[in-house]
Amino acid sequence: MQNKIVTLALQGGGSHGAFTWGVLDRLLEDRRIDFEGISGASAGAMNATVLAHGYNLGGREGAREALAAFWGRIAVKEPFSFLPPEMLPGGSSLLNQSTPAAMHALLAMTRFFSPTQLNPLDINPLRDILEEQIDFERLRRSGDIKLFIAATRVSTGTLKIFRNRELTVDSLLASACLPSMHRPVEIDGEAYWDGGLTANPPIFPLLHLCSARDLLVVLLHPCSRPGTPTSTQEIGQRLSEISFSSAFFTELGGLALAKREAENAMFAFGTLERRLRKLNMHLVEANDLMSQLDVMSKLNTKTSFIHGLHDEGRQAAERWLEKNFHMLGLKSSFDLGRYLQ
């Protein structure tokens, strides 16, 4: 039986990207699925690039090993690891883990000091991890999996997509450059910030530059939250989620409208119209879980938290495969029409 070919769009969200690692880990296990292209912003860009690098070296298993190695370096040895789980701060539950006080202190400082003041030497441990683990030269030469990495131009506030031939450690760091915590990353005289500000994740490159009929989006930000935020912390968290999701929902709305028009037209004359008619949309998410995690948990790199999110991602992918695999190549498992205004 011929494999199903899909494209992937991976959302950013700091340490929550470990959930996406779990999703990808499970999808890579399923030899019925092949990947044509992957887009991503921030943590989604990291996952996309690490997967493609590992795939170049050793196929599916190489991709799984590369992702495990990357997140293994991200996860730090947690304090109090010598204590039994029931005595750990916040308990052993993924949802109840305490956020280290240092993270809260750092966030408070970003309100009063610029990244240049907080980090005058521009130290970024992520740079060392990426340079050690990814062969960027090989990625630039290889087109086994098409990559579309999002960053935001500081000068214009517009989206920049880095493709395989342009990939460097700087383009990845640009995609994950939070304005309040890192200096802008300069590439060829242009300064860049986090790609999630303008596309989280980008959809259009997968539509225009790939041919697969099925597009699978992995979301990290909750699509909805119950209730109305009232405290300062709740308001700040919801504002952060909205700012990093609004571009994606706007793009979905435009895609839904374009797809409806293409399907209603009597004839499909152009390449884009034909692509839109055949396009199937799919979504893997964990809205209930993500809506219970606070914004500070995106900075939590405790080993148990990272691996707990990985396990949640694997389970979410497993549920999606059981329910929706048979729809690949045939129809959407996600109702894009809900975004039509």
Side-chain angles (χ1 to χ4, degrees), residues 36-330:
E36 180 186 4
I38 312 177
S39 72
S42 195
M46 304 296 162
N47 277 317
T49 306
V50 172
L51 185 155
H53 160 74
Y55 195 92
N56 284 349
L57 296 179
R60 295 172 184 274
E61 287 307 310
R64 294 184 65 205
E65 291 172 5
L67 285 165
F70 174 77
W71 285 101
R73 286 291 307 277
I74 294 295
V76 297
K77 186 174 177 62
E78 57 202 28
F80 314 111
S81 58
F82 55 88
L83 296 176
E86 64 270 16
M87 295 181 64
L88 289 173
S92 58
S93 167
L94 178 65
L95 294 176
N96 294 325
Q97 292 200 48
S98 60
T99 302
M103 297 182 189
H104 290 286
L106 176 61
L107 184 63
M109 292 176 69
T110 63
R111 298 169 184 162
F112 302 100
F113 299 98
S114 72
T116 302
Q117 293 170 311
L118 284 174
N119 187 7
L121 299 179
D122 200 21
I123 297 171
N124 190 339
L126 188 57
R127 176 181 291 276
D128 295 334
I129 296 174
L130 294 172
E131 289 178 338
E132 290 171 9
Q133 296 199 355
I134 296 179
D135 185 343
F136 285 96
E137 184 177 349
R138 182 167 182 163
L139 268 179
R140 288 192 291 270
R141 294 196 312 264
S142 173
D144 289 346
I145 296 178
K146 300 173 185 176
L147 292 174
F148 307 97
I149 304 304
T152 301
R153 297 181 182 89
V154 177
S155 60
T156 62
T158 54
L159 174 65
K160 163 67 178 179
I161 295 292
F162 293 98
R163 298 177 62 183
N164 296 60
R165 63 178 179 270
E166 303 169 286
L167 276 179
T168 64
V169 66
D170 283 333
S171 56
L172 268 191
L173 292 175
S175 185
C177 179
L178 286 172
S180 61
M181 300 184 70
H182 299 289
R183 300 183 194 181
V185 177
E186 189 169 307
I187 302 173
D188 296 331
E190 184 79 58
Y192 294 96
W193 275 337
D194 196 301
L197 294 168
T198 45
N200 194 21
I203 299 295
F204 78 89
L206 301 174
L207 184 63
H208 287 277
L209 300 171
C210 295
S211 58
R213 298 182 62 165
D214 294 275
L215 195 163
L216 175 62
V217 182
V218 182
L219 285 189
L220 297 180
H221 293 281
C223 293
S224 61
R225 277 189 180 274
T228 302
T230 55
S231 70
T232 302
Q233 181 179 352
E234 291 171 343
I235 292 170
Q237 175 161 320
R238 193 59 186 140
L239 282 173
S240 174
E241 290 171 348
I242 290 172
S243 66
F244 278 97
S245 298
S246 59
F248 171 66
F249 290 128
T250 298
E251 191 171 9
L252 279 189
L255 180 60
L257 179 60
K259 183 171 173 60
R260 185 184 68 179
E261 294 301 309
E263 291 173 341
N264 290 340
M266 186 172 297
F267 302 104
F269 295 104
T271 302
L272 181 58
E273 286 181 295
R274 292 192 291 270
R275 282 280 291 133
L276 286 167
R277 283 188 170 193
K278 295 178 180 179
L279 179 67
N280 301 318
M281 290 289 297
H282 310 280
L283 185 70
V284 175
E285 62 177 337
N287 196 83
D288 291 343
L289 170 65
M290 294 303 176
S291 64
Q292 296 179 68
L293 298 178
D294 64 43
V295 67
M296 287 303 300
S297 66
K298 294 178 181 180
L299 301 177
N300 189 346
T301 57
K302 291 171 65 175
T303 301
S304 60
F305 185 70
I306 293 294
H307 285 275
L309 283 173
H310 165 267
D311 294 343
E312 292 286 343
R314 279 189 59 90
Q315 294 170 23
E318 180 67 35
R319 292 191 296 269
W320 187 89
L321 286 168
E322 290 179 359
K323 182 179 180 180
N324 300 304
F325 176 81
H326 67 283
M327 300 176 73
L328 289 175
L330 299 176

